[in-house]
Every structure is written in C-alpha cells, then in structure tokens.
Amino acid sequence: MTKISLEELVSFLKEQGFVFQGSEIYGGLANAWDYGPLGTLLKRNVKDLWWNKFVQNNKLNVGLDSAILMNKDVWQASGHLSNFADPLIDCKHCRSRYRADKLIEEATNGSVNADGFTDEELVNYIKEHNICCPKCGQNDFTNIRRFNLMFKTFQGVVEDSLSEIYLRPETAQGIFINFKNVLRTSRKKLPFGIGQIGKSFRNEITPGNFIFRTREFEQMELEFFTKPGTEMEWFNYWRQFCMDFLVSIGVDKDALRFRDHEKEELSFYSNATTDIEFLFPWGFGELWGIASRTDYDLKQHMKYSKVNLEYLDPETNQKYIPYVVEPSVGVERMMLAILFSAYNKEELEKDSRVVLKLHPALAPYKAVILPLIKKNHAAKAQEIYDALSQKYSINYDDAGNIGKRYRRNDAIGTPYAITIDDDTLNNGTVTLRDRDTMTQKVIKVEDIEKYIDEIIKL
Ligand code: ATP
C-alpha cells in the first residue's frame, strides 16, 4: 500500500516545488500540470535513465526525435482516425460523462477489465450489474458513442479542411514512418530497436488522478523490430527488462504486477500484450504497456504510402516485413509510481520527518552544500558548489539551523548533505550525512565525487 493519499501527495508536491496546477493564476486549466524546479529535474532524470538503459547502453538500439505534427495519412494508415476512440457514456440524470470501460473498472475495484468489451457488452454489463453514476447514484445512462481522442488543429493560415492536422496521440508512428530512413542510415540488421521520448496528446474523456491521465503527456517508446517467428522471445525479454528496470530505479516491487491480456482482450493485430501495473491509492493501474504488434504497423504504412518497407535478410536473401515488439510507458505515470514508492514519513526520537527515498540517480539534487556559519564558511561552500555543479545538480542551502536544513533536503530526496565548517577550512574535510540512515562521516573534499558516483550508479 502507498504511504500517502493522492490528495496529500499533490499538496506535498506543490509545496515542495515539484508540480503546480497549470495556468494557476488564471484559475487553472483542468488536468493540466506544470513542473516546478524539482519536478523538472526529476522528469529529466527519469528520461535520462530510460534513454541510457533502452538506447545508449544497448548496441541493438538507436534513437529518434520525430515531429509531433505528421501527414494526416499517417493516422489513416495506423487506424487512429477510425479506431482511436473511447466509449463515451452520459448519465441522463445528472449529465456526468464517463468512459464506459473505466466506469465498470472503478465500480468493480479493478476486478473486471472492460478494455476489450464491445459497446453492446459494455451497455449490458452496466445494466445487468446495476452500475450507477458515481455522482448521483442513478442507473440511467445514454447509449455509448465513440469519441476520437485525437486533438485536431489546423495548419496554415486558412482554417479549411485541407489544412486539418492532428497532434500525435503516440510517438510510435513517428518511428514506423522513419523505419526505412533509420535502417538505411544506421545500417542495422534485425533485430534492432528505435527508441524515442516525446510529447503525445489525447483528448481523454475523463482525465484525472493527477498526472496519471492527462491530455498532454510524454511517452518513452521503443519499437523493436524482429524477424517473424522470433517475436515471442523478444516480447518476453522486454517484458522482464521493463519490470527489472522499474525495480532497479526504486519502484516498490510489492506494488508491481504483470497483467497479461486475455485472448479476447488483445487488439486484433497483437499476438501478445502485457501491462505492468502499479498499485496506486485508487487500485492497480497500467504503468507500462508491452505489446507484440506483429507486422501490422509497417504493413499498413506500406499499403498507404506505397513505399516498400520490407527488410532484405542478408543471411537468407529473403524479403519480409519485420515484426515489432513495443514497450511503451508514460514519463509522468512513471514519476507518479516513483514518488508513491519513495515517500516516507518517519517517527524519530524527538520529532518526525518526511523523507523521499528516491534512487540517487533520480534525486533532483545529488547533494546539498550547507555552510555551517554563513559569514565564515560561505566562500569555501561556494567554491565546492562551483566545482561539483559542473558535474551534478547540487543544492545550496544557508538558511536556518542545520537540523532544519537537513529536514528540508530529506523531504526533497537529496541523498547527501555536505556541511562546510572550520574543519573544511583547516583540514580540507567535510561532514557527509546520508539521507536514509542519517549517519554522518567525515571525508576529504576531493573524495566527495567518489561518494556521489558510487550511489548514482544503477
Ligand atoms: P489507458 O487504457 O490507461 O487509456 P492505453 O492502453 O491507451 O492506456 P497506451 O496507448 O498503451 O495506453 O500508452 C502507453 C503508455 O502511455 C501507458 O502505459 C501510459 O504509461 C502512458 N499513457 C497513455 N495515456 C496517457 C495519458 N492520458 N496520460 C498519461 N500517460 C498516458
């Protein structure tokens, strides 16, 4: 179980400067969030770690940064124009609007997954199980209408239908349409992957649960191209890889589970899909989707673009369309799981403290520099700060007594507090305090980097 409610976490993160309500001074914009100084650092660290593990440290994979705006035909080919729609249902009584599958999931505390239900199955389930409107308590709903989640906008100066364009609802299609370019220029052989991090936009019917479901979010996606027939091996590989990654960066492993999709729930083009779910305060929710997508996407783009996207296997001289395994995760959802896992309130002998036990690689600041007495130690502290901040994100705190400064930095997850005092001036030593154990040791100034490097390794 998480150690803090969602409401408490939201107010804690606002107070500390992680996440603010979007457009706050204008009364806000529903479900839009801005990332403050600490949230920005955490977000960058999440993306860097993903990039390192999925692209930089893997010689099979390369990176890409494709455009958010794409030719409309991309969405025709991918099926998003016709199929990327959620089942919308309204309460006739109080006019509240719901996503029908989520209404069922919430009413059954997640024990029924209605993702793959047809509209008829959804309506029947709601009727037969007497699922009521969470707001007014009535069971009196409209029929289901399908609502396309893509944001539509206009390109060019005249608002006519010729210039209609969509904001991408996933980064994946940018990868598929560049498959040929990447294959040619990187001279990769199968199997290989293309990774990408970027913004996606979905006009969600019911965004909510803070940054869990928003209309603007970032995705980290890998499209891994394989020889047909070997995709299950790679599917299992990436499925476990993603789980191991989450555990290695400090997501609570007892709150994680695999949820393999049943046959009936699978998208028509997928031959295996698993969600890695995290136990949020409102129940298990999808954190990471891992899907074996067969050759569907490349085949569709080949059909619509008329460009040959086949791969010529140098070993067998055969031509075929590669199969694809896709691990896809949202940056913000991952952050939320990380924050729920890291938050701790500890009772100490005399008082209590809030401590974010973030993996040091994720911590916004790797250390905080604390001059014990401002007028005596600030110059030396500044010198040490200047040197360390060339390499790491470092905090500097000279306000209030040392105990208060420790607490402030525990609460934002800073792994080390480094106190600069007379011994620093006279002997070149500092006191290094560990966030989690609160133990202190005296070390040489020139050894600080060694200590930080040791803990930020994954
Ligand atoms: P859901 O069923 O929750 O709407 P999905 O199955 O449509 O999600 P995918 O299309 O598989 O989600 O997206 C891959 C990942 O992108 C998700 O696992 C999630 O981490 C993230 N994601 C998707 N939609 C959102 C959103 N609206 N806000 C934040 N993150 C999202």
Side-chain angles (χ1 to χ4, degrees), residues 394-444:
I394 300 288
N395 197 9
Y396 187 95
D397 192 348
D398 59 7
N401 73 46
I402 206 87
K404 281 209 178 106
R405 289 189 258 169
Y406 283 159
R407 291 287 176 273
R408 270 204 294 273
N409 282 281
D410 289 344
I412 62 171
T414 311
Y416 285 141
I418 298 170
T419 305
I420 314 301
D421 55 17
D422 284 347
D423 284 339
T424 319
L425 305 180
N426 300 329
N427 314 325
T429 59
V430 293
T431 308
L432 186 89
R433 174 187 175 272
D434 182 282
R435 174 195 71 194
D436 298 345
T437 61
M438 294 184 285
T439 53
Q440 306 188 7
K441 62 166 89 154
V442 174
I443 66 162
K444 292 207 195 96

Side-chain angles (χ1 to χ4, degrees), residues 113-132:
N113 191 296
D115 208 9
F117 282 22
T118 62
D119 289 358
E120 201 183 335
E121 284 167 342
L122 289 166
V123 169
N124 288 344
Y125 194 96
I126 289 169
K127 274 198 191 128
E128 280 161 22
H129 294 81
N130 196 29
I131 290 177
C132 296

Side-chain angles (χ1 to χ4, degrees), residues 126-145:
I126 289 169
K127 274 198 191 128
E128 280 161 22
H129 294 81
N130 196 29
I131 290 177
C132 296
C133 169
K135 196 149 170 227
C136 71
Q138 303 286 319
N139 176 310
D140 188 13
F141 292 102
T142 59
N143 271 334
I144 285 177
R145 278 161 297 148

